[in-house]
Amino acid sequence: MPTNPVLVIHGGAWAIPDDMVEAHLNGVRTAIAAGWRVLDGGGSALDAVEEAVVVMEDDDTFDAGRGSFLNRDGKVQLDALIMDGATLRAGGVGCVERIANPIRAARKILSDSPHVYFVAEGAERFAAEHGIELCKNEDLILPREIERLREFQSRSAGSENDIFSATISHDTVGAVALDQQGNIASATSTGGTLNKAPGRLGDSSLIGCGCYADNKSAAASTTGWGEPIMKLVLAKWAADRVASGSLPEWIAAEAINYLESRLGGHGGMILLDADGNFGIAHNTPRMAWAVKTVNDESSGVRR
Ligand code: ASP
């Protein structure tokens, strides 16, 4: 008998201002519809998370794809990872500057390469060789982001610590899915943190940190201040606890508590097991999320 599919997505965890709530809700609702079309049609969890994330990369609201934060040099630098829980195959890109949908490049790596991870020009070359059209970095830059960077850099408060404040946007996007075949998958895509040093890699594209999937444990995607998430290998930390028999709902909350208590970190996580149990947790004022199951659809900016 086919499994009932489940799709959970997030569009970042931070103090999303009131006037940006609607755009975040629209974004996650459009993305969940795109991912659900795949699952409903009998498609794979892997295809579903890819399609959901592409929608959010294309949406200027989020810190992924076009409209991402700029790094210290005023460039967009993108990271993404996708992982298949059935096979443990994964594909990741880091610090790419000329790919509008880095999750598509990550998927090509997963499908067409014996490797897991490509960075910078090598990742762009791999993508181009596999049919992904490269763009100019300027095509990914919005005037809004030029202004945001200028303002940030001119403020004396533009210190290292300010970057990691929960009031600074963490609009990374991610998705976890369970398909009718009973397989789970996850995907995460980001422009990283505002004013980041060129070449800085966040948690989002690192396997087990910002993204992880294994049918025997869980699929996870995180968002938030990347450095503490990396140090705790948080997505794998959570998946391991689900494998030991705990419910994702409980473990997602535990993971975020651990992030805060151990390293003072902030962020959010979505977590899903192959039985369709899921959890959504964050310690930021808001987190954009959406869930769809056969019987239910919901979304919000608080959980
Ligand atoms: N986790 C991402 C990073 O540190 C940022 C975010 O979630 O917004 O690169």
Side-chain angles (χ1 to χ4, degrees):
M1 222 178 59
T3 305
N4 281 335
V6 179
L7 180 62
V8 185
I9 65 173
H10 72 79
W14 59 293
I16 302 168
D18 289 344
D19 64 356
M20 291 178 72
V21 165
E22 210 43 48
H24 280 74
L25 288 176
N26 285 339
V28 292
R29 286 173 186 155
T30 310
I32 204 123
W36 189 258
R37 273 195 293 278
V38 176
L39 294 174
D40 201 33
S44 69
L46 200 57
D47 285 342
V49 293
E50 180 182 351
E51 294 312 317
V53 164
V54 161
V55 167
M56 292 187 282
E57 287 177 337
D58 287 345
D59 185 331
D60 290 353
T61 307
F62 302 105
D63 179 32
R66 193 177 118 90
S68 286
F69 286 156
L70 303 183
N71 70 9
R72 205 173 56 198
D73 289 352
K75 283 188 155 186
V76 165
Q77 249 184 13
L78 304 170
D79 310 328
L81 187 94
I82 187 165
M83 186 160 182
D84 177 17
T87 61
L88 299 192
R89 292 182 74 176
V93 294
C95 298
V96 294
E97 297 182 354
R98 296 186 299 150
I99 302 177
N101 292 111
I103 205 68
R104 292 259 192 248
R107 175 63 191 272
K108 286 280 181 202
I109 294 167
L110 181 153
S111 303
D112 297 357
S113 160
H115 306 302
V116 169
Y117 208 69
F118 283 78
V119 298
E121 288 91 0
E124 291 166 0
R125 197 191 309 169
F126 177 92
E129 285 167 3
H130 289 79
I132 292 177
E133 204 180 317
L134 300 183
C135 62
K136 294 202 201 67
N137 195 252
E138 301 87 80
D139 298 340
L140 305 175
I141 297 176
L142 295 187
R144 175 192 77 199
E145 295 307 321
I146 296 173
E147 182 52 29
R148 193 199 302 272
L149 181 70
R150 196 198 57 71
E151 207 244 323
F152 184 86
Q153 290 181 338
S154 65
R155 262 189 296 140
S156 54
S159 67
E160 290 286 288
N161 283 341
D162 205 28
I163 302 175
F164 303 131
S165 152
T167 57
I168 288 282
S169 164
H170 289 293
D171 266 336
T172 291
V173 304
V176 292
L178 167 65
D179 63 29
Q180 294 187 29
Q181 291 69 47
N183 296 316
I184 55 176
S186 62
T188 307
S189 181
T190 190
T193 47
L194 176 63
N195 197 43
K196 66 186 180 183
R200 175 265 187 191
L201 199 66
D203 60 305
S204 307
S205 65
L206 293 179
I207 195 164
C209 299
C211 187
Y212 194 71
D214 182 350
N215 279 4
K216 292 192 188 313
S217 56
S221 174
T222 68
T223 177
W225 177 12
E227 278 71 8
I229 294 172
M230 279 185 248
K231 291 171 190 168
L232 299 175
V233 198
L234 202 64
K236 181 70 162 65
W237 185 97
D240 284 348
R241 276 150 187 84
V242 174
S244 307
S246 301
L247 279 176
E249 186 181 355
W250 169 248
I251 294 303
E254 280 284 284
I256 298 302
N257 284 342
Y258 178 49
L259 176 68
E260 184 167 332
S261 63
R262 185 72 180 87
L263 289 175
H266 59 258
M269 173 181 282
I270 53 175
L271 190 62
L272 170 71
D273 70 17
D275 293 325
N277 303 303
F278 65 87
I280 301 173
H282 59 103
N283 64 348
T284 47
R286 285 174 167 164
M287 172 171 178
W289 59 271
V291 177
K292 190 154 171 56
T293 66
V294 172
N295 304 313
D296 191 32
E297 177 166 357
S298 49
S299 55
V301 289
R302 205 168 273 138
R303 196 63 191 183

